[in-house]
Amino acid sequence: QVHLEESGGGLVRPGGSLRLSCAASGHTFSVYAMGWFRRAPGKEREFVAAISGSGGSTDYADFVEGRFTISRDNTKNTVSLQMNSLEPEDTAVYYCAANPRPLGYTDYRARDDYDYWGQGAEVTVSS
């Protein structure tokens, strides 16, 4: 079992930045690929970014366009999402998730490949 807890959400003006963090329980954090997903009002949950267990491989949704950066610290069991140049369209609840499948045997963008999910952090981008 892995327990995930997000933090760092809030209200930010367009063009601003936020940093989301996700703290994970457990002693085997580094075996999990970690992902960030989001669900905007009235929309399906969608992939945002993912990082491999070692941190050596990352993947981003096309709409990120270089604005977001995912990172992890396996010594602290945390994964972060730095979000810059935020737009109103980025308003959503952001979820971190853990994927136990080895690199090469999983699709980082597939929600069903993630076994553990946090409760979500709300991000609102508005003037």
Side-chain angles (χ1 to χ4, degrees), residues 14-84:
S17 298
L18 274 178
R19 185 178 181 86
L20 300 180
S21 294
C22 175
S25 65
H27 302 288
T28 58
F29 179 67
S30 62
V31 306
Y32 292 92
M34 298 298 296
W36 286 96
F37 290 75
R38 71 184 188 184
R39 184 174 64 206
K43 295 186 177 181
E44 295 288 321
R45 192 175 299 192
E46 63 179 349
F47 170 77
V48 176
I51 187 167
S52 62
S54 67
S57 178
T58 58
D59 189 21
Y60 294 94
D62 292 344
F63 62 76
V64 168
E65 297 178 326
R67 300 180 297 130
F68 297 178
T69 302
I70 189 171
S71 60
R72 67 188 297 158
D73 185 340
N74 287 343
T75 67
K76 298 181 179 179
N77 284 14
T78 59
V79 61
S80 298
L81 185 69
Q82 177 66 41
M83 303 186 293
N84 300 326

Side-chain angles (χ1 to χ4, degrees), residues 4-9 20-23 36 94-97 117-121:
L4 303 173
E5 186 169 352
E6 302 93 340
S7 61
L20 300 180
S21 294
C22 175
W36 286 96
Y94 284 73
Y95 301 88
C96 72
W117 293 82
Q119 292 300 305

